[in-house]
Amino acid sequence: MTDAPESDIAAPVAETPASPLDFSRLPLPPHTLANLQRLGYDQMTPIQAASLPLALAGHDLIAQAKTGSGKTAAFALALLANLNTRRFAVQALVLCPTRELAEQVTQEVRRLAAAEDNIKVLTLCGGATMRPQLASLEHGAHIVVGTPGRIMDHLERGSLRLEALNTLVLDEADRMLDMGFFDDIATVAKQCPRQRQTLLFSATYPEGIAKLSASFMREPKQVKLLQAHAGSKIRQRFYEVREEERLHAVGLLLDHFRPVSTLAFCNTKQQCRDLLEVLKAQGLAALELHGDLDQRDRDQVLVRFANRSASVLVATDIAARGLDIAQLEAVINVDITPDADTHTHRIGRTGRVDAEGWAFSLASLDEMGRVGAIEKALGFTSDWHPLSELTPGGPGPLRPPMCTIQILGGRKEKIRPGDVLGALTKDMGFAGAQIGKINVNEFSTYVAVAQDIAPQVLRKLAAGKVKGRAVKVRMLED
Ligand code: ADP
Ligand code: MG
């Protein structure tokens, strides 16, 4: 950590000039800058550097950049700058395509708002029961993040009012259009005050976006950052496979490269199911994300993968839509997608802000045409390697570093991450370094702990107390 210069000492003449990517170049209050530093946001990402000056100057904005480029903070800092915390009414609305995304955005907004007291952020999504949402709305909120359908519901009931709104954000606008939300978005936008700032963020720029912006944005500025940096951090490799060795090849890759977290994309649900079976038979900790899971199971799968207690998540493109999982070491294209944009999206999941990543693609002779089309569209030449080069990189099958323990009890029981961490470290004597992510959901809490202490943690938690109360616990494994 660097020491802050003492204020009574004259600044050295040759101080290093602020880089163009320093947040301090933006008209942001000191507490916000300090908070960004605390979060480890040392510099703006390119899309933040391109869009924040415009957004903070009050312009409407259409910003396009790939997944993982830091778009959330780009709009969150802008909407926070427009906020009057003393006015207790909804002043910003963020529309997102899915519940997971809305929850991720809520978390990021909360982290960025942490510099100021008492900013209330509320998530309103379908799939959740209405009553708690109505109660929360009655208590009031400054910022609402939600999916278009549920926001419409609340507008119709009159439980959500937007007359104090000054910032409307459309996040992942391309996805919302894909999902058929055009009319809903238009309806919501019509209910917002005319005098407002509208910010539209998108990974791609399909036709519908121009139509959206034409219908309710005011002289929007456009910022586009295409794949300029994508290639540098993602190492792509292609392997030619025969159909019958394709699924087995996934295990070979994992065994050779030993990435901690891998997202494996298949073109079909059936392929996902088959792959999951093969991976499990090989002793790998694999989970599947598919559309038939109910919301609770889906949440659980995502928590377990993100906290590093599963090595592989198998998914179709639709199921994986919009997931933001940091620290993904590898993406595997189990099948080659017929669509070059989809390929870009898939491999964009790895090599996030400052991590390098691998993107492996398995292609059969039948798929060579697709590979050619992708090379042409994205302007690269694929780097081919033989499967025979893959040798086991360690003893035994790849194991995830962590294991998830579920505590039956969550926000409803007023459990907070600190309570669980305190119970494990202070009361039970485990080292903080052996405890990973702690996710508190409405009814459950998930704690990631190092594999080797998991049985002990389970025993002590079952016998001990969290927040002064006995709790039911179980280990999640399969
Ligand atoms: P996008 O919406 O473009 O897909 P996100 O907003 O989800 O990207 O950001 C991706 C990740 O990068 C998040 O984990 C976020 O916390 C992190 N991040 C964003 N801005 C910065 C920054 N300036 N410095 C470091 N990390 C950042
Ligand atoms: Mg995003």
Side-chain angles (χ1 to χ4, degrees):
M1 232 192 259
T2 52
D3 286 333
E6 304 255 353
S7 54
D8 55 349
I9 299 174
V13 184
E15 212 176 358
T16 41
S19 125
L21 296 179
D22 280 352
F23 279 104
S24 60
R25 295 176 70 100
L26 298 171
L28 291 171
H31 59 260
T32 304
L33 292 173
N35 184 48
L36 285 165
Q37 210 163 41
R38 210 175 46 79
L39 293 175
Y41 289 18
D42 298 329
Q43 294 212 306
M44 291 186 264
T45 65
I47 189 65
Q48 290 164 0
S51 59
L52 276 166
L54 293 166
L56 292 171
H59 292 287
D60 277 10
L61 195 69
I62 301 177
Q64 184 192 352
K66 69 171 187 123
T67 303
S69 54
K71 294 190 287 295
T72 319
F75 63 73
L77 290 170
L79 70 84
L80 288 168
N82 288 343
L83 209 67
N84 174 355
T85 49
R86 265 171 294 173
R87 177 153 193 210
F88 211 45
V90 176
Q91 295 164 58
L93 172 63
V94 183
L95 293 179
C96 298
T98 66
R99 197 175 86 124
E100 279 89 37
L101 275 168
E103 268 163 14
Q104 283 167 11
V105 167
T106 304
Q107 277 175 15
E108 179 86 348
V109 172
R110 286 205 176 114
R111 279 165 10 112
L112 291 166
E116 275 182 85
D117 284 342
N118 302 322
I119 296 183
K120 280 211 63 180
V121 191
L122 187 61
T123 325
L124 299 176
C125 296
T129 40
M130 216 37 169
R131 198 181 309 200
Q133 293 188 352
L134 293 172
S136 305
L137 277 166
E138 248 165 56
H139 282 104
H142 296 102
I143 303 166
V144 166
V145 182
T147 46
R150 183 55 65 100
I151 297 291
M152 289 238 298
D153 276 0
H154 282 290
L155 288 172
E156 273 160 24
R157 284 167 182 252
S159 43
L160 172 65
R161 314 184 48 124
L162 298 177
E163 62 265 349
L165 182 126
N166 55 36
T167 318
L168 172 65
V169 180
L170 310 180
D171 189 22
E172 307 242 0
D174 49 351
R175 297 277 180 242
M176 290 201 281
L177 291 175
D178 273 358
M179 295 168 81
F181 282 138
F182 188 96
D183 292 338
D184 289 2
I185 296 171
T187 310
V188 173
K190 257 187 228 126
Q191 301 210 27
C192 298
R194 253 167 212 283
Q195 208 37 270
R196 63 157 199 267
Q197 187 178 15
T198 307
L199 305 170
L200 184 156
F201 285 77
S202 194
T204 59
Y205 196 89
E207 270 169 62
I209 303 260
K211 205 166 134 210
L212 265 185
S213 71
S215 46
F216 52 77
M217 294 179 81
R218 275 177 314 146
E219 299 166 38
K221 302 273 185 205
Q222 276 208 40
V223 185
K224 244 188 212 191
L225 280 179
L226 289 173
Q227 329 301 335
H229 303 283
S232 58
K233 283 187 190 159
I234 303 170
R235 294 161 289 181
Q236 281 209 69
R237 282 191 180 181
F238 285 74
Y239 294 83
E240 187 183 330
V241 293
R242 278 175 288 120
E243 218 41 76
E244 64 275 15
E245 59 188 4
R246 190 191 292 273
L247 300 182
H248 184 66
V250 175
L252 291 177
L253 284 167
L254 295 171
D255 219 14
H256 179 86
F257 291 97
R258 304 187 87 80
V260 179
S261 302
T262 301
L263 192 51
F265 284 103
C266 301
N267 288 350
T268 65
K269 284 195 219 174
Q270 186 57 48
Q271 182 82 312
C272 286
R273 245 168 267 145
D274 294 346
L275 176 61
L276 188 74
E277 223 169 89
V278 168
L279 293 174
K280 282 188 170 171
Q282 291 172 343
L284 287 154
L287 296 170
E288 185 192 359
L289 194 61
H290 57 77
D292 308 336
L293 290 177
D294 67 29
Q295 198 63 55
R296 222 176 276 191
D297 289 337
R298 196 178 152 90
D299 287 347
Q300 209 176 81
V301 165
L302 288 176
V303 163
R304 290 170 68 188
F305 183 62
N307 74 15
R308 325 210 102 195
S309 45
S311 304
V312 198
L313 183 64
V314 178
T316 57
D317 297 293
I318 296 175
R321 218 161 236 185
L323 292 183
D324 172 34
I325 293 169
Q327 286 189 304
L328 211 51
E329 278 82 6
V331 164
I332 302 180
N333 295 306
V334 180
D335 309 299
I336 304 297
T337 158
D339 176 52
D341 264 356
T342 303
H343 183 83
T344 307
H345 273 303
R346 286 177 172 187
I347 68 170
R349 304 319 187 94
T350 185
R352 291 296 172 97
V353 177
D354 32 44
E356 285 207 321
W358 284 108
F360 304 115
S361 301
L362 304 175
S364 64
L365 276 178
D366 289 347
E367 290 170 320
M368 292 304 166
R370 291 181 179 178
V371 174
I374 290 171
E375 285 183 315
K376 212 159 131 211
L378 307 181
F380 71 92
T381 313
S382 42
D383 176 19
W384 290 91
H385 288 254
L387 279 185
S388 60
E389 186 180 284
L390 302 175
T391 50
L398 176 67
R399 299 295 309 157
M402 311 301 277
C403 173
T404 302
I405 289 174
Q406 179 185 18
I407 300 174
L408 304 180
R411 274 200 301 272
K412 273 266 173 317
E413 284 71 30
K414 304 228 173 343
I415 292 183
R416 281 173 310 179
D419 302 325
V420 179
L421 189 63
L424 291 173
T425 55
K426 292 205 194 80
D427 310 347
M428 299 170 193
F430 294 104
Q434 292 180 296
I435 317 290
K437 276 198 188 169
I438 299 175
N439 293 84
V440 182
N441 289 1
E442 199 168 358
F443 303 105
S444 275
T445 300
Y446 300 96
V447 199
V449 302
Q451 283 278 357
D452 52 333
I453 62 163
Q456 257 173 295
V457 173
L458 190 71
R459 230 177 307 120
K460 288 203 180 171
L461 271 177
K465 288 184 173 161
V466 174
K467 241 194 157 171
R469 247 185 295 172
V471 288
K472 281 213 173 96
V473 289
R474 63 189 185 115
M475 201 176 317
L476 298 181
E477 51 191 347
D478 55 24

